[in-house]
Structures are given as C-alpha cells and as structure tokens.
Amino acid sequence: MIRVAVLGSTGSIGRSTLEVISRHPDRFEVAALVTNRRVGALVEQVGRFRPPVAVVAEAALPSDPGGPTRWDTGRDAVLEVAAGQDVDVVVNALVGAAGLEPTLAALQAGNRLALANKESLVAGGPLVLQAAGRGRADVVPIDSEHSAILQCLEGYDRASVQGITLTASGGPFRGRNHNQLRHVRPSEALNHPTWDMGAKITIDSATLANKALEVVEAHYLYGFGYDHIHAVVHPQSIVHSFVEFVDGSVLAQMGFPTMELPILYALSYPERVEDGALRTYDPVMASPLTFEAIDHDAFPLFGMGVEAGRRGGCAPAVYNAGNEIAVQAFLEGKVLFPDMAEVVHATLDGVGNHDVHTVDDVLAADAAARRLAREAVDRLGRAEETGKSA
Ligand SMILES: NC(=O)c1ccc[n+]([C@@H]2O[C@H](COP(=O)([O-])OP(=O)(O)OC[C@H]3O[C@@H](n4cnc5c(N)ncnc54)[C@H](OP(=O)(O)O)[C@@H]3O)[C@@H](O)[C@H]2O)c1
C-alpha cells in the first residue's frame, strides 16, 4: 500500500488526487489531508477517506469531528504531515510560495514528493534540489507538461537530448492584442477553454505567467539551460510537451486534457497503472492539432518570468511573489489585466537581486517583493480611479 498525504486536498488538484486514490483502493490509501480554511469540505473528505490525520492550516478546527482521525491546526502541523514517517508520497497541491516549506520538509524527510505546487520550485529551486539530494527523495511532477517531459525522457541520458518544448493552451485571451486586454474582467479570465483549475493558476494561464513558472520549473527539474527550454501555444491541450533529441527526432506525450492522468503517474511512478475511468485517446476526435508562437507583446509576463529564471538568485522568488499579489489584486478588481505585468515589473525593478542560500533568504526576498507589489497595486489602482473620474 502506498500511503499518500494530500496537502491542499480541498483544491482542484487535491480533489482530483482523491478521485484517483478512490479508484485504486488496493494500491493507495490516504495518510493525511491538509487544507487552509475550507473546514466543511475537509470534514466531508475525512468522513469519506478516514485518514489518520487531518490538518487545517489557518482556521479553527471543527468543534466535535468524532471518528478516529487526529485533528491538528497551524503551519507546524502542515510541516509535520509533510515530514511524516507514516507517509510514502506527499502530494503538494498547495497554491503559491506557501508551498515551499512543506516541499522542503517532505524531501528532507526522504518522502517522495508529487509536486503540483510549482511555485515552491520557482521560489526556492536550489534549496529544493539540495533537500532532494540530502533526503535521497524523488520529486515527481504533477504538472501535465513536466509529467510529459518525464515520460518522454524515460530511458534516455541527458546527452542525447537537444531541448524540450512546453505547450501552452494560450488561455481564454489567445489572439487578443494588448489594447483588447485592457478591460477584460476577472470572470472572463477565469473561464479557461481547456482546463478546470483553481483561480490562481487560471489567471496565470490567461497571462501566460503560468508558462514562465513552468519554464523555471523545468529548468530545476531536468537541469536544462534556458536556451534549451522552449514554449509554444497549442490551443487543444492534447500534446502535453515535446522532447527533441540530438538526431532531430521528437517525442511527445499526448492525451485528452485531464489532471488525473499525471496525478496517477506521479503516485505510481515509475509503474504504469490501468485506470478505466480515464478517457481513451482518439486522434480523430482530437483533430486538428495546431501550434503558434507566443505573443510577447500581449503577454509580457511570460518573457519577464523566463528572464527572472535566467537571472537566478532571488529573482524567480521575487517574480513569483509579485505575481501572486498582482493576481490577487486583479481578482479583487483593484487593477486591470495589463496592470498585472506592471506590478511584477515594478517589483522586479525594486528588489535587488542576491543569491539565496537559505530558506530565510527566500522568505526575505518574498516578503520584500510582496511589500513592493502591494505599493504598485495601490499606485496603479489610484491612477485608474483618477483616470475614471477625469
Ligand atoms: N488545478 C490544476 O489543474 C493544476 C494543474 C497543474 C498545476 N497546478 C498547480 O497546483 C497547485 C494547486 O492548484 P489548484 O488549482 O489545485 O489550487 P486551488 O484549487 O486553489 O487549491 C489550493 C489548495 O491549497 C490549500 N491551501 C492554500 N494555501 C494554503 C496554505 N497556506 N496552507 C495550507 N493549505 C493551503 C487550499 O485550501 P482551502 O480550500 O482551504 O483554501 C486548497 O486546498 C498550484 O501550484 C498550481 O499551479 C494546478
């Protein structure tokens, strides 16, 4: 039996993980469930999966949950679950840089990490690699693009690989220019054409910041230099990524879009497990497959993020933190869609770059970035107000 701790069990990836687990009771069991505030949803999940431990990070525990589950609360309890000795795989499906310390805790304890929380690799890539090395633990990605790369690389040494290409759906605003994006509403940005995901990653997909985070994630996961990691828009989300070999051959991993497949692969890796609930691929139904270049003018957050990755040091953490604040401000109606790039730009400009050696270095850069990003939000929000009233 593989004992799985699900951090972020009430979110989109967390719920899909529990669906996958429920279909394979002979292989997987739930060792712990962790949520932030949605206590009601967690109580239901605990009733269904009866895990030994349930944790609520930032809200009060239910008054009398009953049952055999031990309930706990607070950040330390989240880290305890991640580092648990009664756990084989930790699924990190938290959102944002808040996932970094649980990622490190899981790896330092030698627990396999099934990683959805890309922000932890972006913010603290070198620290995550160190922790994985010391704990001798695997990091297996849940992101469909990185799962695709892992599957295509299986059996090849890195010297035979020329480069990789991540695919991007292009989001709901593909084809629109910079001016047309000025007044798009959060509700339109939340309406993703091919994937049903949590709010933050859905907005990141609309700005293409998500693809920049994934380029940095791929750099740390697979060790390719930035000149060897490419991205292309593929609106159908059928080809999840490509690997190009030195002889010119290209392998791709394909399938109808569902996160349950990469989740199952991350839980069972390196084995492949039959799952009748996953839709069989049909090339005729999937046709046509099209590809186009990223529009850097309309979606500047992509280039900005890749550039932050290239710079290294704390720049990726600063980009990520600025972006988290920008997304929140857009969702709350405080800034316009193109302002998100302005916020991140001002944040990267304001925080000087320095090396990161410890978690505290990353957390300090993250905190400084959030302060600057909030100031930029206030400035842009006020400018907007003045513009409206003029
Ligand atoms: N959704 C996808 O299809 C998809 C695909 C690829 C990668 N990812 C990545 O997977 C991660 C999760 O995405 P998602 O779409 O599943 O997000 P989501 O639906 O917003 O869910 C996030 C989960 O994390 C919990 N959480 C958030 N902050 C926390 C904290 N500080 N401490 C403890 N728990 C916390 C939330 O609890 P509450 O419910 O209490 O708020 C919720 O359970 C992100 O990094 C995203 O980029 C997602």
Side-chain angles (χ1 to χ4, degrees), residues 15 23 32 34 52 61 85 110 113 120 130-131 137 159 161 165 174 216 220 224 239 243 263 281 284 296 313 331 382:
R15 292 193 309 273
R23 294 202 296 270
V34 174
L61 294 175
Q85 291 308 298
L113 181 67
S120 52
Q130 258 172 32
V161 178
T165 302
R174 182 176 61 86
V216 180
Y220 287 121
F224 296 114
V239 176
V243 173
I263 290 169
Y281 183 60
V284 176
H296 289 267
L331 285 171
R382 263 201 306 278

Side-chain angles (χ1 to χ4, degrees), residues 8 10-13 35-38 94 116 118-119 143 197-198:
T10 49
S12 162
I13 292 288
T35 191
N36 198 26
R37 295 207 181 98
R38 272 185 277 176
L94 304 180
K118 62 194 87 182
E119 296 94 336
D143 243 332
M197 311 179 283

Side-chain angles (χ1 to χ4, degrees), residues 7-15 34-38 57-58 75 78 92-96 98 116-119 142-144 195-199 201 210 259:
L7 315 186
S9 63
T10 49
S12 162
I13 292 288
R15 292 193 309 273
V34 174
T35 191
N36 198 26
R37 295 207 181 98
R38 272 185 277 176
E58 287 184 11
R75 292 261 332 136
V78 179
N92 186 345
L94 304 180
V95 65
N117 176 256
K118 62 194 87 182
E119 296 94 336
I142 282 182
D143 243 332
S144 56
W195 296 101
D196 181 12
M197 311 179 283
I201 185 175
N210 182 51
M259 288 311 296

Side-chain angles (χ1 to χ4, degrees), residues 132-203:
R134 277 203 214 116
R136 300 186 158 281
D138 289 333
V139 182
V140 187
I142 282 182
D143 243 332
S144 56
E145 296 80 356
H146 303 74
S147 177
I149 301 288
L150 178 66
Q151 295 178 55
C152 293
L153 285 175
E154 214 52 30
Y156 294 99
D157 63 42
R158 295 306 147 87
S160 60
V161 178
Q162 178 64 34
I164 61 176
T165 302
L166 308 177
T167 54
S169 71
F173 305 134
R174 182 176 61 86
R176 297 204 200 177
N177 65 32
H178 189 268
N179 285 341
Q180 292 167 325
L181 290 171
R182 185 141 185 82
H183 292 293
V184 295
R185 290 186 304 272
S187 58
E188 296 170 80
L190 285 170
N191 191 15
H192 196 278
T194 50
W195 296 101
D196 181 12
M197 311 179 283
K200 197 259 178 184
I201 185 175
T202 306
I203 301 302

